[in-house]
Amino acid sequence: SAVISQKPSRDICQRGTSLTIQCQVDSQVTMMFWYRQQPGQSLTLIATANQGSEATYESGFVIDKFPISRPNLTFSTLTVSNMSPEDSSIYLCSVGVAGRDQPQHFGDGTRLSIL
Amino acid sequence: SQQGEEDPQALSIQEGENATMNCSYKTSINNLQWYRQNSGRGLVHLILIRSNEREKHSGRLRVTLDTSKKSSSLLITASRAADTASYFCATDGGGGADGLTFGKGTHLIIQP
């Protein structure tokens, strides 16, 4: 399976600031996704990162708050903008191959705390 | 969304015993996947079962799928302390082109 590197692994940020999380995969993959895991909760899909075009956001998530880039098939970034304590979560990227019945594989996540 | 439900939310057993976790979902799926998460880190993929399969094995893991009841179970046999983790089911309704919809998870504690 693909090796996924996510940076930073953790950060503590001040409210009102923004942080960009990077996700790098060691092979070309069709699909890249971003998820949020709030404390003690399950994972929720934020968006699908589309190469060379705007990401596809799930209900409740907007581009102004979570801008996403995907310049090529192996790299994507998620920015958490104008952060508040409610944004304290683990953010995870995952990769997959479009086509039936392929598992998604996840990076180690970024643990974000907002003061 | 087809948010799944898992039960139990927490399970504590003795080492060597079997652990069973259940998952239910709401809409049709292409496949269902089980993941393990240790201490809030990344997810490790355990097993994928297709919608036309009823049972699948991988080592000490056994997964069943009942699409008529929209439910799945994960059995871990002969549990070990290293199995202590949170376990999540996730459904794929888009054939890999969509993200996954996760259940709430079961936190499993194996007592030595």
Side-chain angles (χ1 to χ4, degrees):
Chain A
S1 62
V3 176
I4 303 158
S5 300
Q6 199 172 324
K7 291 192 289 187
S9 59
R10 59 177 60 227
D11 208 339
I12 301 173
C13 300
Q14 297 295 321
R15 67 175 68 204
T17 63
S18 299
L19 179 75
T20 296
I21 301 167
Q22 299 180 0
C23 180
Q24 177 80 52
V25 61
D26 68 344
S27 58
Q28 293 189 347
V29 291
T30 311
M31 309 302 298
M32 294 183 81
F33 305 95
W34 288 97
Y35 293 82
R36 180 178 72 182
Q37 185 177 27
Q38 294 177 299
Q41 303 296 313
S42 184
L43 282 77
T44 300
L45 179 67
I46 298 172
T48 301
N50 300 310
Q51 186 205 357
S53 65
E54 190 172 292
T56 303
Y57 290 85
E58 297 298 303
S59 175
F61 298 96
V62 296
I63 187 171
D64 289 346
K65 178 66 176 178
F66 297 102
I68 288 170
S69 77
R70 189 179 174 192
N72 56 53
L73 290 175
T74 64
F75 185 77
S76 178
T77 66
L78 167 73
T79 299
V80 186
S81 302
N82 188 25
M83 290 183 285
S84 67
E86 293 71 35
D87 295 319
S88 297
S89 297
I90 300 173
Y91 293 86
L92 301 102
C93 72
S94 75
V95 302
V97 178
R100 194 170 172 83
D101 303 330
Q102 297 292 324
Q104 283 189 22
H105 295 283
F106 285 78
D108 280 343
T110 296
R111 184 182 293 271
L112 187 55
S113 298
I114 315 304
L115 302 180
Chain B
S1 68
Q2 48 186 21
Q3 181 68 46
E5 298 284 334
E6 285 170 86
D7 71 273
Q9 290 190 346
L11 179 62
S12 180
I13 61 174
Q14 295 294 124
E15 195 167 18
E17 293 180 339
N18 296 341
T20 299
M21 289 158 272
N22 302 297
C23 165
S24 62
Y25 57 92
K26 296 180 181 177
T27 61
S28 62
I29 61 172
N30 288 328
N31 64 68
L32 185 144
Q33 305 178 37
W34 284 90
Y35 290 86
R36 184 184 74 229
Q37 184 179 41
N38 293 87
S39 302
R41 299 303 306 277
L43 272 68
V44 174
H45 185 266
L46 296 177
I47 198 164
L48 179 152
I49 186 165
R50 296 175 176 81
S51 59
N52 62 354
E53 297 177 311
R54 293 298 168 256
E55 187 172 311
K56 202 162 184 180
H57 297 255
S58 177
R60 294 184 295 114
L61 306 180
R62 172 178 171 259
V63 167
T64 63
L65 179 65
D66 187 334
T67 53
S68 67
K69 295 181 179 178
K70 292 186 170 58
S71 66
S72 175
S73 68
L74 170 68
L75 168 68
I76 303 174
T77 60
S79 63
R80 305 167 181 170
D83 295 329
T84 294
S86 292
Y87 292 81
F88 295 92
C89 69
T91 54
D92 178 359
D98 299 334
L100 300 174
T101 300
F102 280 81
K104 292 181 178 179
T106 295
H107 184 55
L108 176 65
I109 297 173
I110 309 299
Q111 309 217 11

